[in-house]
Amino acid sequence: MRFEGIAHRYGRDVDTDVIIPARYLNTSDPDELAAHCMEDLDQDFVKKVQPGDILVAEENFGCGSSREHAPIAIKASGVSVVIAKSFARIFYRNAINTGLPIMEAPDAVDGISSGDRVAVDADTGIITDLSTGTSWQAQPFPDFIRDIIEKGGLVAAAREKVGK
Amino acid sequence: MPRPMTVTEKILASHAGMDEVRPGQLINCRLDLVLANDVTAPIAIKEFRKVGVESVWDPERIALVPDHYTPNKDIKSAEQAKMVREFAREQHITHYYEVGCMGVEHALLPEQGVVVPGDVVIGADSHTCTYGALGAFATGVGSTDAAVGMATGEAWFKVPTSLKFEVTGELGPWVSAKDIILHIIGMIGVDGALYQAMEFTGDTIERLDMDGRMTICNMAIEAGGKSGIIAYDDVTAAYVTGRAEREWTVFSSDGDAEYVRTYSLDASSIKPTVAFPHLPSNTRLAEESRDITVDQVVIGSCTNGRLEDLRVAAGILKGRHVHPHVRAIVIPATQKVWTDAMHEGLFDIFVDAGAAVSTPTCGPCLGGHMGILASGERAVATTNRNFVGRMGDPTSEVYLASPAIAAATAVAGHIALPDDLD
């Protein structure tokens, strides 16, 4: 899988309350959630994000609440992949389970600027900043998690297990 | 002989059917309980329908607690609660809690004996880590993990490394469990325990009652922790006896178990602590924060809405009055806390002091309802998060503190210690 889009870069500890504020959690509709994605961090995000764009952030992305609405909102907003220095653990699980591609790549985060055009090869883990020509290698997923991703997420893996 | 293990590793090994596990190992565990609430259950139910099973794995081992936006705050949240209610009826879920018996989930389930020592629990709520106070392994997950847990009774985990926090000595005046955990988060940061189990030990922890222990484990997630845990002891035994609805199993760490790091804390050096906006790690001493004026004080939540918390607040508010510029809102975490507080006369104290007393709900803690902040407003809250917009408008501010500091602040109109009051 290959993604290409404009990078939107944020800092560390981007929490799930700013990704999707609780005042919108009275719904689980992806499009409604996407309309408010990142609202309390960057009010213009939903205006500028284009399908395929890439979220770039520093350490501890997705900290706080367990709300799966956060990866759902990011995915439905058009973001193709999130690259961060590290992810909070519940967000990490939720992203894998809901099919939002994520990559841990500290060097890439340091090298990418907002507005750069970035290409990501999710199969090889190679991230390329097309605006600067620099490439980095993201940390690979453990085989166990890659297996869940390849089966199409946790529910698909469970469906296989229960024999349906 | 299996390798020396921490209490967390032992609980996980027993639920994976293994003699031993090692940090980093990916394992599949049998679950004792799966939890979801009115925000997370609707997505879990949708995902559950896709798994391909007709029924949940065990209707007695699933807890559905509509507590976030209940009593329903608007039509959309009413629809979410309705979906959870209908699913509970369809699947004959025994631990479904309707308004009237509902409480804030992480106060309710231990109180009702639904979680017991030695359990492995996943909950579609990040503060599920609270149950570590009972000597259980409990961790927050998302709705999809909860859905698969409801369908199969199993979940995968990466065995976490453990951090040990050894707290010894006497706590000073007005220093509580909340101050201990805020102090620790301030020390290690909001990702200081990322992916790790936080084990709390030492004579100070051993002297804490169960309400205080739950406050500490509740906020493990605010340091990025996978879980918080306090080993089973006499306090745990006294709490679960006559309350637990199942037999329990006692696990404890081996003396030579491996910890990636041990932090030794002198309890007497910890002072009343406040976490400033907009991270729980942004801590300062309450005594150095008196210039912060507030518009609202909230005493409640899964962190500090239990009976002992309300007793402390009432002790400070008794015979005093909430500052005219402050709205003080007290939210007992469960119906039992509510009735116990009422019978003890705490409500008379709160109401005479000019505070509002609410029915149990998560409400304002996550900016849901029952006390939302307008632009630029400030609140001191006994809750667990102070992220941007957490309690309302994105320009509002939340300061996290103990019930004692919150009550004193309600009277003073600015951040204050109880001894500051006349």
Side-chain angles (χ1 to χ4, degrees), chain B residues 139-352:
Chain B
T139 191
V141 296
S143 298
T144 299
D145 271 310
V148 171
M150 290 198 295
T152 64
E154 294 177 2
W156 67 267
F157 299 105
K158 185 161 88 172
V159 178
T161 52
S162 288
L163 294 172
K164 186 193 271 190
F165 296 86
E166 196 166 22
V167 191
T168 55
E170 295 294 330
L171 291 170
W174 305 114
V175 181
S176 68
K178 183 63 165 286
D179 302 293
I180 296 174
I181 191 64
L182 285 175
H183 179 83
I184 288 172
I185 296 164
M187 183 174 73
I188 67 172
V190 289
D191 61 353
L194 195 60
Y195 301 105
Q196 296 176 301
M198 301 172 76
E199 187 173 331
F200 303 96
T201 66
D203 60 82
T204 315
I205 302 295
E206 287 163 15
R207 280 192 299 276
L208 289 176
D209 62 16
M210 198 50 72
D211 286 4
R213 293 179 183 196
M214 286 196 240
T215 299
I216 288 187
C217 291
N218 173 272
M219 290 192 73
I221 179 69
E222 309 314 332
K226 182 171 196 155
S227 56
I229 195 159
I230 296 171
Y232 181 98
D233 64 5
D234 293 346
V235 174
T236 328
Y239 184 84
V240 293
T241 301
R243 185 189 302 264
E245 60 176 39
R246 287 179 278 118
E247 294 290 315
W248 63 85
T249 313
V250 176
F251 296 92
S252 58
S253 295
D254 293 321
D256 47 355
E258 270 178 44
Y259 296 87
V260 288
R261 186 160 178 188
T262 296
Y263 294 90
S264 296
L265 290 94
D266 172 9
S268 67
S269 70
I270 298 173
K271 290 185 167 182
T273 300
V274 178
F276 275 46
H278 289 285
L279 284 175
S281 58
N282 189 17
T283 53
R284 298 191 205 171
L285 299 183
E287 64 189 33
E288 293 169 359
S289 309
R290 291 186 178 96
D291 56 326
I292 303 294
T293 56
V294 302
D295 305 285
Q296 179 167 295
V297 165
V298 174
I299 298 170
S301 84
C302 58
T303 313
N304 280 121
R306 299 180 183 83
L307 187 59
E308 192 52 39
D309 301 315
L310 302 194
R311 283 175 178 153
V312 169
I316 292 159
L317 290 171
K318 188 171 187 177
R320 295 192 169 103
H321 204 276
V322 171
H323 190 277
H325 294 173
V326 177
R327 294 103 56 184
I329 303 166
V330 180
I331 311 176
T334 68
Q335 292 290 82
K336 181 166 183 352
V337 173
W338 204 95
T339 50
D340 288 349
M342 178 177 67
H343 289 136
E344 282 190 17
L346 306 188
F347 287 179
D348 287 334
I349 295 170
F350 293 137
V351 173
D352 288 348

Side-chain angles (χ1 to χ4, degrees), chain A residues 4 60 63 106 110 114 132 152:
Chain A
E4 189 178 319
N60 204 25
C63 64
D110 281 335
S114 252
T132 63

Side-chain angles (χ1 to χ4, degrees), chain A residues 12-13 15 17 22 25-26 28 32 40 64-66 68-69 87 89 93-94 97 144 154 159 161 164, chain B residues 28 46 50-52 69 74 76 80 125 139-145 154 156 191 195 366 385 390:
Chain A
R12 57 168 296 145
D13 305 319
D15 62 76
D17 275 88
L25 295 187
N26 55 4
S28 53
E32 277 190 67
D40 284 359
S65 156
S66 69
E68 213 158 274
H69 311 65
F87 292 90
R89 64 159 284 276
R93 284 183 84 110
N94 287 350
N97 290 345
F144 182 91
L154 187 69
R159 193 163 54 229
K161 197 169 173 181
K164 298 274 172 164
Chain B
N28 214 42
K46 285 182 199 165
K50 298 176 190 167
V51 176
Y69 294 158
D74 56 20
K76 282 184 172 177
Q80 298 213 102
D125 188 278
T139 191
V141 296
S143 298
T144 299
D145 271 310
E154 294 177 2
W156 67 267
D191 61 353
Y195 301 105
L366 80 158
R385 289 198 178 120
R390 177 72 180 179

